[in-house]
Amino acid sequence: MRATFMYGAGDVRVEDVADAKLHEPTDAVVRVVLACVCGSDLHPYRSMAATDDGVPMGHEFLGVVEEVGREVTGLAPGDFVVSPFAVSDNTCAFCREGFHTACVHGGWYGAGGIGGAQAEAVRVPQAAGTLVKIPGGVDEALWPSLLTLSDVYLTGYHAAHMGRVGPGSTVTVIGDGAVGLSAVLAARQLGAERIILMGRHTARTDLGRDFGATDVVAERGDEGVAKVLELTGGEGSHIVLEAVGHMPAYEQAYGIVRPGGIISRVGVPQYEQAPVGFGSLFGKNATLTGGPAPVRAYIEQALPLVLDGRIDPGRVFDRTVDLDHVADAYQAMDSREALKVVVRP
């Protein structure tokens, strides 16, 4: 079968590899029908050290179950499924508490011997807990929105959920990438009264307005902070959803958040040390939350919203490539020629 690997910064290759197969009785093999490139894939694309051993890429997909292990329940060959970007058993203490990305039997696509999803097929460990069946006969036009339940929309939702967005909230979203736009959509779904989107790419912020943003701030850094404070009468934002992951975005977040407010981060942080002292969080009694989204906890409640057309998060996809051209997808997203790219094996 064909699968995507990264060998270093800017070095993405599609190669012939052995077919995906069962390793454990809790595994399933899924034929991928739709995958995509994630914004988090761009971090190694920009900075990964060269290696002789390629890293399997891709963690978002829809597919059809081809084979199941003898201990897999609730799934059968032919089932159409969506997979969260992280593997989980859906039964351990952390899963039961809604934090599937901390599952004691969990794992990540592309790591620990698990293949990537930018491929023709993938082995799914803990298949019964990980995969969610989609009703048969779904209109293919809904597939892109269903694919967002694998990661991007529900990562935006996780940001809003952890930020405790609700009716009457003023929310600021930092980042006009696909996750930031998804956070705007989720904040609107949760009843935010005002949603300020910080981004400077007009095509993206226009989509953000369609998703529910009431204001757009193109300025960055201190100028951006000053603009948000101006829009909020000097008080700042009740909730800040940070969807970038770089230090300047975090600095904007604590500059914008109002006293007693919440910063919720879902942009994968490209740093380990960050200010939390008096001038950043402590003096404002601000709460810092967020992390890798346990999308498995949210899929069932979001699925009917997509199937009924109440939300259309698949609008974040603006380009499609076949598997052999997946390197073009990385390049297009890295250069901001594309927002988020679908991969059709």
Side-chain angles (χ1 to χ4, degrees):
M1 70 175 200
R2 305 277 282 162
T4 303
F5 297 85
M6 188 178 294
Y7 283 85
D11 187 1
V12 175
R13 311 176 197 175
V14 178
E15 300 179 336
D16 290 312
V17 297
D19 289 346
K21 62 181 182 180
L22 303 176
H23 289 182
E24 302 292 339
T26 50
D27 291 348
V29 173
V30 176
R31 174 173 54 84
V32 177
V33 300
L34 215 62
C36 57
V37 177
C38 182
S40 65
D41 293 334
L42 299 182
H43 294 311
Y45 185 74
R46 293 166 180 156
S47 62
M48 179 179 165
T51 176
D52 293 332
D53 301 317
V55 175
M57 298 302 297
H59 52 259
E60 304 158 89
F61 67 96
L62 303 177
V64 177
V65 175
E66 292 201 324
E67 188 178 3
V68 296
R70 66 179 182 275
E71 294 181 12
V72 175
T73 59
L75 293 169
D79 285 342
F80 188 36
V81 294
V82 58
S83 176
F85 67 83
V87 168
S88 63
D89 61 20
N90 202 31
T91 59
C92 80
F94 301 123
C95 289
R96 293 196 303 272
E97 292 169 4
F99 291 97
H100 295 68
T101 47
C103 178
V104 296
H105 298 119
W108 310 88
Y109 291 108
I114 307 174
Q118 292 164 12
E120 293 180 323
V122 63
R123 177 179 70 90
V124 180
Q126 300 297 332
T130 300
L131 298 173
V132 178
K133 285 197 294 186
I134 298 170
V138 172
D139 187 340
E140 191 170 337
L142 292 176
W143 287 12
S145 285
L146 292 170
L147 179 59
T148 69
L149 304 186
S150 187
D151 185 349
V152 62
Y153 172 65
L154 290 180
T155 290
Y157 178 87
H158 180 62
H161 172 74
M162 294 296 286
R164 292 181 239 158
V165 174
S169 302
T170 294
V171 178
T172 299
V173 177
I174 300 176
D176 59 7
V179 171
L181 297 178
S182 296
V184 169
L185 180 57
R188 185 185 70 178
Q189 291 296 307
L190 291 172
E193 180 176 315
R194 190 174 196 182
I195 304 172
I196 302 168
L197 173 60
M198 301 193 77
R200 59 179 183 171
H201 302 89
T202 304
R204 300 181 178 197
T205 56
D206 285 350
L207 178 56
R209 289 187 185 276
D210 287 349
F211 277 177
T214 56
D215 305 90
V216 170
V217 171
E219 294 86 352
R220 292 183 171 184
D222 291 341
E223 291 183 356
V225 170
K227 183 65 175 179
V228 173
L229 291 177
E230 177 186 335
L231 289 171
T232 57
E235 295 179 352
S237 188
H238 293 110
I239 301 154
V240 182
L241 310 181
E242 195 274 278
V244 179
H246 291 289
M247 181 58 71
Y250 176 70
E251 291 170 341
Q252 283 185 190
Y254 67 69
I256 289 164
V257 71
R258 67 188 281 142
I262 301 172
I263 298 170
S264 180
R265 300 180 306 162
V266 292
V268 180
Q270 302 303 294
Y271 52 85
E272 288 295 333
Q273 297 182 340
V276 296
F278 204 98
S280 51
L281 302 185
F282 187 82
K284 289 185 173 181
N285 279 280
T287 296
L288 180 64
T289 188
V295 301
R296 181 63 183 83
Y298 308 132
I299 290 178
E300 275 99 344
Q301 69 188 48
L303 190 56
L305 301 179
V306 171
L307 296 176
D308 295 346
R310 282 175 280 173
I311 59 172
D312 187 12
R315 293 179 66 191
V316 297
F317 295 111
D318 57 355
R319 188 172 299 189
T320 300
V321 299
D322 60 27
L323 186 58
D324 286 335
H325 292 89
V326 70
D328 296 338
Y330 279 80
Q331 191 280 326
M333 287 177 59
D334 184 54
S335 64
R336 295 189 181 274
E337 295 172 21
L339 171 58
K340 191 168 176 67
V341 181
V342 170
V343 179
R344 286 186 176 269

